[in-house]
Amino acid sequence: MTIDEFRAGFVEEPGYLDHPRISPIGEFALAEQRAHCDLLSRARFGSLGALEEQDGRVRTAVAELLRFRPDQVVFQPSTSQALMHVMFGLTGTVAASPDEFPAIGYAMTRAAQALGVLTPHTIVAEHERITPAVVKAQLDSSVMAVVVSLVDYRTGYLVDLEGIRQVIGDRLLIVDAIQGAGIVDAPWELADVIASGGHKWLRAGQGTGFLALSDRAREHLTPVWSGWLAHGRPELLHEVVEPAADAGAFRVGYADAAAQARLAGAVEAVLDVGVPAIRDAILERTARLIEVADEEGIEVVSPREDAERAGIVSLAPHPEFTSALAAALHNHGVSATVRDGRVRLGAHVSTGDDTIEQFRAALREFASLATPRRT
């Protein structure tokens, strides 16, 4: 598949720049949803077996994306639930920044409170970045696992996984990949745990996600929240048995087969066109957004080097003018997230020139209102 053919699979309205929040679902996933709705509505004789096939299909697709094995992957309805599985399964001291997306902090805190076997250890970011030097300087001998986001959800900073792996040694490396999966060809094999969702850059819709575990991580993690399907056997067992030795131990019950199919279809399309081609297209669109912001004199707090960024562009207007910028974007039909005094945008391969021009018009309107009040 060419990048143009991939791009043609998305039909969001011009002005949409809120991909870091949720990306409009693509045809590769929508086709799967329609097919499964039709299957379930008709329930033709012998057709329901297709539902059971989606678990293996989605694990195979995600495994290829991450360069893991299918038995190291388990479907999850969200990144947050995947992280809960991980934190409730850990024993020891786990290090993370309190500035990570709250799903990480909540999972760590709830596990610590409920079981009393996990101890949170705080890593303080420097200039809103978790770098290998930051991690190395703030670890101690008690830390057995380190949690990082592949891409910072506030600034779009792409973490140096290779550097962090080097400084943490044989500690577990846990990665929240939701802001990079599908658009960053990361060195996934360096991670012990990868948790992600499919409703952002993979464009598979909500209710889609996965958890990938290295063999070493599976040995360390206890499948506390492990249900009746987690034994990995085909038969229905009334006796409670030990969970499987692979990632399937972190299943609870039946997953939504249509959601599994949506994620599989979306990932298969990404694999067909290739992550590098998608990344190149997104970086070009992102550079255009940064260029427009520079032209209008609005501060960009996202990295500018390609090696340090993914698809997020974060703007930091003077606090006095944040509401005015949000209003200008709204007036010109530009979708974005306004949070904590910043405006977060994100471009995908389907972000067209018309969207860039809407963004430009919004910033010009904002500049005309804000400039007279600047000192």
Side-chain angles (χ1 to χ4, degrees):
M1 185 190 305
T2 68
I3 191 65
D4 288 335
E5 291 171 331
F6 182 71
R7 184 181 291 114
F10 307 104
V11 294
E12 71 264 23
E13 295 292 321
Y16 195 85
L17 288 173
D18 213 5
H19 294 282
R21 179 185 178 190
I22 181 171
S23 276
I25 189 171
E27 177 60 28
F28 311 104
L30 275 175
E32 299 290 344
Q33 183 70 40
R34 287 192 291 264
H36 279 77
C37 284
D38 182 68
L39 184 154
L40 283 171
S41 67
R42 299 176 185 276
R44 291 190 180 96
F45 177 77
S47 66
L48 296 184
L51 301 178
E52 298 178 358
E53 297 172 357
Q54 300 311 310
D55 182 70
R57 178 188 172 197
V58 72
R59 289 188 293 105
T60 298
V62 171
E64 185 176 350
L65 180 71
L66 303 179
R67 297 183 292 277
F68 275 50
R69 301 190 312 269
D71 67 295
Q72 294 177 309
V73 177
V74 60
F75 180 83
Q76 297 287 307
S78 68
T79 313
S80 297
Q81 182 161 305
L83 289 169
M84 283 287 186
H85 271 301
V86 174
M87 298 309 166
F88 272 76
L90 288 173
T91 297
T93 302
V94 180
S97 167
D99 295 324
E100 296 283 6
F101 191 79
I104 293 174
Y106 268 86
M108 291 175 63
T109 301
R110 297 295 187 237
Q113 292 172 338
L115 302 180
V117 295
L118 183 151
T119 302
H121 175 88
T122 298
I123 296 177
V124 179
E126 291 184 4
H127 307 295
E128 298 187 304
R129 295 186 177 190
I130 297 296
T131 65
V134 166
V135 174
K136 182 178 181 180
Q138 299 184 46
L139 291 184
D140 60 42
S141 59
S142 68
V143 173
M144 54 79 61
V146 176
V147 189
V148 297
S149 292
L150 178 65
V151 178
D152 187 281
Y153 80 100
R154 301 161 304 166
T155 66
Y157 172 68
L158 178 60
V159 75
D160 179 2
L161 280 187
E162 293 187 31
I164 289 178
R165 167 50 75 193
Q166 290 177 3
V167 301
I168 70 172
D170 62 357
R171 297 175 175 89
L172 293 181
L173 177 56
I174 301 168
V175 179
D176 178 342
I178 195 168
Q179 291 291 1
I183 64 170
V184 176
D185 191 19
W188 301 113
E189 59 276 5
L190 300 179
D192 294 290
V193 177
I194 303 169
S196 187
H199 69 285
K200 295 185 187 289
W201 303 97
L202 285 169
R203 307 190 70 160
Q206 291 178 309
T208 59
F210 58 83
L211 175 63
L213 305 174
S214 70
D215 292 339
R216 193 167 70 101
R218 176 62 188 89
E219 291 175 2
H220 278 77
L221 267 63
T222 302
V224 174
W225 193 23
S226 182
W228 65 275
L229 277 175
H231 54 68
R233 305 180 192 178
E235 63 268 26
L236 179 66
L237 302 177
H238 286 274
E239 61 176 312
V240 178
V241 300
E242 289 298 309
D246 58 20
F250 296 88
R251 295 180 70 184
V252 178
Y254 281 128
D256 180 348
Q260 290 180 315
R262 279 190 278 117
L263 181 58
V267 173
E268 287 163 359
V270 167
L271 292 170
D272 197 357
V273 70
V275 173
I278 296 171
R279 176 164 170 75
D280 287 346
I282 289 177
L283 287 177
E284 187 275 330
R285 297 283 86 184
T286 303
R288 290 283 304 278
L289 295 178
I290 293 175
E291 178 184 332
V292 171
D294 287 343
E295 290 172 357
E296 300 304 329
I298 300 175
E299 183 182 2
V300 176
V301 295
S302 298
R304 292 173 179 270
E305 297 295 325
D306 286 355
E308 294 184 343
R309 62 187 173 94
I312 293 175
V313 175
S314 187
L315 308 180
H318 189 283
E320 182 182 359
F321 302 126
T322 302
S323 296
L325 178 54
L329 292 168
H330 176 81
N331 291 342
H332 289 270
V334 176
S335 299
T337 292
V338 181
R339 184 188 289 137
D340 299 328
R342 291 182 178 176
V343 175
R344 188 185 67 181
L345 312 157
H348 209 283
V349 299
S350 52
T351 301
D353 290 342
D354 46 0
T355 296
I356 301 294
E357 291 309 309
Q358 284 177 247
F359 177 59
R360 187 191 307 276
L363 294 198
R364 284 179 176 171
E365 176 184 308
F366 165 72
S368 69
L369 296 173
T371 300
R373 300 174 63 188
R374 292 176 181 168
T375 58

